[in-house]
Amino acid sequence: MKIFNTRLSTLSDTQKAQLAEQYQADDYLLLDFDTRQHSRFRAITVSGEAVGVDLPRTGVLKGDDVLINAADELMQVIAKPQAVTKVTADDDFLLMKGAYHLGNRHVPLMFDQSFDQGDAGYALYFENDHVLAQMLENLGLHIESTSVPFEPETGAYQTGQGHAHGHSHSHSHAHSHGESHSHKKSHSHDESHSHSHGHQHSHSHHDAPVGRSNDG
């Protein structure tokens, strides 16, 4: 099994062309956020090949990160669309209030306009949790279920890890984050993992078909 243990920061034109060919052949990893939080795990490419990832603990894997192994083989990571909760509000102050309450509970949050289908307002996204959704509705915010590639904010002191938001993402190959991936192959990984949060209710993430390792 191929083991990818280095994350590339820059790509040559030759490597970009190679990734484009691999994408056409479904030779890439389509991973949800829960899996991308871990530095060591086993995964299945879209084409069905088992590979291993064994990285230094250098932060969450982002959509479009590229990995390389000892044989100089490449593997691109693409953020998998997953079920999340979208939060909007009638005014920015109310949305900011909602973000405060979610942040106070250490909930991973994505701030993005890319998936708002022309909506001029801002939106928050978080992994589905009916308790949090009810809290936000009680505050007067609007809640809806959707499916998007989930790329939450990283810590303010982690430079170089976040994506710029409020614009569409372009890639060297012919796809974008907003497109719909429909792959019927199953994705299997080694272990399951549970989150603990600093508040008094439990989180249950129901849309995580990709398993996870505990070595995040």
Side-chain angles (χ1 to χ4, degrees):
M1 182 172 65
K2 297 176 182 178
I3 305 295
F4 295 88
N5 54 15
T6 303
R7 186 183 341 213
L8 287 180
S9 56
T10 58
L11 296 171
S12 67
D13 289 341
T14 299
Q15 289 171 326
K16 291 177 182 177
Q18 179 181 335
L19 288 174
E21 291 180 4
Q22 288 183 215
Y23 183 76
Q24 293 300 318
D26 285 343
D27 186 15
Y28 61 91
L29 293 174
L30 188 65
L31 304 177
D32 64 10
F33 172 66
D34 287 345
T35 303
R36 289 184 282 110
Q37 293 183 76
H38 300 285
S39 58
R40 299 179 63 194
F41 56 89
R42 179 176 177 271
I44 305 295
T45 66
V46 173
S47 63
E49 179 184 4
V51 299
V53 174
D54 187 3
L55 298 170
R57 297 185 180 184
T58 55
V60 175
L61 280 169
K62 297 290 186 180
D64 286 344
D65 276 353
V66 176
L67 310 178
I68 191 170
N69 63 10
D72 290 333
E73 295 170 303
L74 304 179
M75 181 60 59
Q76 186 163 34
V77 173
I78 294 178
K80 180 180 180 177
Q82 63 186 84
V84 293
T85 299
K86 176 182 174 180
V87 186
T88 55
D90 294 331
D91 60 76
D92 294 342
F93 178 80
L94 187 57
L95 191 65
M96 182 171 62
K97 186 176 179 180
Y100 167 79
H101 284 287
L102 291 170
N104 195 43
R105 289 159 174 78
H106 308 290
V107 177
L109 279 179
M110 180 172 74
F111 302 81
D112 208 303
Q113 292 178 276
S114 302
F115 309 108
D116 286 354
Q117 316 244 343
D119 185 356
Y122 299 102
L124 307 175
Y125 300 82
F126 64 91
E127 291 179 295
N128 289 340
D129 184 300
H130 71 278
V131 176
L132 295 177
Q134 184 63 58
M135 176 195 73
L136 295 171
E137 286 186 322
N138 291 341
L139 290 171
L141 291 104
H142 307 303
I143 304 299
E144 67 177 277
S145 296
T146 187
S147 178
V148 297
F150 187 55
E151 297 272 22
E153 291 291 311
T154 54
Y157 299 103
Q158 296 182 30
T159 58
Q161 293 293 328
H163 278 219
H165 299 295
H167 64 278
S168 60
H169 303 283
S170 61
H171 310 288
S172 59
H173 45 37
H175 85 283
S176 69
H177 282 199
E179 74 186 27
S180 172
H181 294 271
S182 176
H183 301 288
K184 297 183 180 179
K185 300 182 178 66
S186 62
H187 299 264
S188 62
H189 298 270
D190 289 335
E191 304 174 31
S192 63
H193 177 77
S194 63
H195 289 281
S196 62
H197 299 268
H199 48 93
Q200 295 181 350
H201 64 273
S202 64
H203 290 263
S204 175
H205 304 292
H206 300 292
D207 187 62
V210 184
R212 297 174 290 166
S213 164
N214 287 326
D215 296 325

